[in-house]
Amino acid sequence: MLKTQTRQANWRRANPAKYNAHLAVQRAVKCGDLEKLTCEVCGVEAVDAHHDRYDQPLKVRWLCRLHHTRLHHRGEDLFPLRPRENA
């Protein structure tokens, strides 16, 4: 259990499912089980993993920081799910 009172530690304690999903993605990318793709909106290579459902931790959408932030602030309908060409 985290003993510190940092903002990050408090978020992790308050959101265990989200934190576990983030860890699962990090581990999968590191061991090669999950490949980072480009941003599904603009094609930028520097991306974050976005979870539509945290109960499916390895099912992610790859979005650049700009589009990931916009999605969280403006809602899921901003960038509707669409099939990837190489997926």
Side-chain angles (χ1 to χ4, degrees):
M1 186 57 133
L2 299 168
K3 296 181 181 180
T4 62
Q5 291 299 319
T6 64
R7 187 178 74 132
Q8 185 178 37
N10 291 335
W11 181 88
R12 288 174 179 173
R13 275 191 291 277
N15 301 282
K18 292 179 181 182
Y19 179 54
N20 288 334
H22 292 191
L23 290 177
V25 168
Q26 286 178 338
R27 289 183 192 120
V29 168
K30 187 173 183 176
C31 74
D33 291 338
L34 185 64
E35 180 185 354
K36 278 190 177 184
L37 303 174
T38 59
C39 175
E40 69 178 48
V41 178
C42 67
V44 168
E45 290 185 12
V47 291
D48 296 330
H50 170 76
H51 292 90
D52 289 314
R53 296 183 52 175
Y54 287 100
D55 62 341
Q56 298 175 331
L58 297 182
K59 186 175 181 186
V60 295
R61 299 171 68 181
W62 296 104
L63 298 167
C64 67
R65 181 60 52 97
L66 173 68
H67 290 117
H68 195 189
T69 302
R70 284 184 181 173
L71 182 67
H72 279 278
H73 289 295
R74 298 183 187 162
E76 294 295 329
D77 60 337
L78 184 62
F79 309 118
L81 288 172
R82 61 181 182 196
R84 301 237 4 159
E85 294 175 13
N86 58 353

